[in-house]
Amino acid sequence: MFEQVKLNFASDALEPVIDTATVETHYGKHHAAYTKAFNDLAEKAGLSGKSAEEILGSLDSVQDDALRTGLRNQGGGYLNHNIYFEQLKPVSEAKKAPEGALLAQIEKQFGSVDGLKEELNALAASQFGSGWGWLGKKADGTLVTYKTANQDNNYSLNMDVTPVLTLDVWEHAYYLKYRNLRADYLKALWDLIDWSVAEARYNA
Ligand code: MN3
């Protein structure tokens, strides 16, 4: 049974960066719907015992086209939002900057944390239509920025990376407050990113 990650905050606690209605709709409706649909499809496909990462990483083994597409979209929607919501904390509680190995690698590759934010925001802002901007880690510890369309991720695309951070650029993530200003949402979102979660993912 796939379950939504528990939120580290009340639905109004991300104000003013993310408004209460967006949290309630995004987590309570969109993410909940992806989760239910993924559970239903995984059961139908006889894959309920596997992890979401395993299912998405072996979609080729699902023969039925509609089932495979459904698992890709709903499973991606389920997992991507778990990764997204897990890394968010209220402004007053989020760890504001990385330390240790992650910080060293960011400085080596991007010059500074601000340099990384700038590059990743530009990449996420450039995603045409719905999708995600990502910071990922390769097996050798190298960091990589990339973007994916719709609910695709490193697992469904069989990329040799694991997620460190993700930025949701579907309109449902920001449109109630930021309207068409995706770049403003991306800039503000960093105030909610809890770097202790990114460190744990990087050091895993
Ligand atoms: Mn979303």
Side-chain angles (χ1 to χ4, degrees):
M1 179 86 174
F2 299 104
E3 291 182 9
Q4 287 177 268
V5 69
K6 297 281 175 270
L7 295 183
N8 295 313
F9 46 82
S11 53
D12 63 353
L14 302 187
E15 297 269 9
V17 179
I18 297 180
D19 57 288
T20 306
T22 293
V23 173
E24 288 175 351
T25 311
H26 198 182
Y27 179 82
K29 305 292 183 187
H30 291 281
H31 191 196
Y34 285 121
T35 302
K36 180 179 187 323
F38 184 45
N39 273 302
D40 292 347
L41 290 168
E43 192 181 340
K44 197 175 168 190
L47 298 171
S48 294
K50 300 205 175 216
S51 70
E53 291 87 342
E54 285 174 321
I55 292 172
L56 291 168
S58 55
L59 289 169
D60 285 350
S61 67
V62 180
Q63 300 301 317
D64 183 82
D65 284 346
L67 199 49
R68 185 173 60 251
T69 301
L71 287 166
R72 177 178 179 171
N73 292 335
Q74 306 298 339
Y78 158 74
L79 184 58
N80 294 348
H81 286 98
N82 267 4
I83 298 167
Y84 176 77
F85 283 116
E86 184 190 42
Q87 72 196 8
L88 301 184
K89 279 252 181 83
V91 176
S92 60
E93 295 173 32
K95 180 173 181 177
K96 289 293 180 298
E99 295 178 288
L102 177 56
L103 176 62
Q105 192 62 34
I106 289 172
E107 289 180 333
K108 185 177 170 189
Q109 290 187 242
F110 303 94
S112 65
V113 176
D114 282 346
L116 164 66
K117 290 178 183 176
E118 220 169 279
E119 180 173 321
L120 192 49
N121 279 6
L123 189 71
S126 75
Q127 167 59 32
F128 185 76
S130 297
W132 300 77
W134 301 85
L135 177 67
K137 175 199 175 189
K138 289 186 168 182
D140 66 0
T142 309
L143 293 166
V144 56
T145 60
Y146 58 100
K147 58 184 176 180
T148 61
N150 302 313
Q151 296 297 357
D152 287 342
N153 59 31
N154 55 294
Y155 303 105
S156 59
L157 297 175
N158 294 117
M159 295 169 65
D160 187 23
V161 297
T162 53
V164 175
L165 286 174
T166 192
L167 310 178
D168 188 344
V169 291
W170 281 62
E171 286 182 345
H172 66 227
Y174 62 87
Y175 213 84
L176 292 179
K177 179 180 171 76
Y178 294 90
R179 302 292 167 173
N180 58 316
L181 304 177
R182 182 189 279 184
D184 288 2
Y185 152 73
L186 287 168
K187 200 173 170 192
L189 185 61
W190 290 100
D191 287 340
L192 305 177
I193 296 287
D194 183 11
W195 281 97
S196 66
V197 175
E199 288 169 353
R201 291 172 182 165
Y202 184 78
N203 296 329

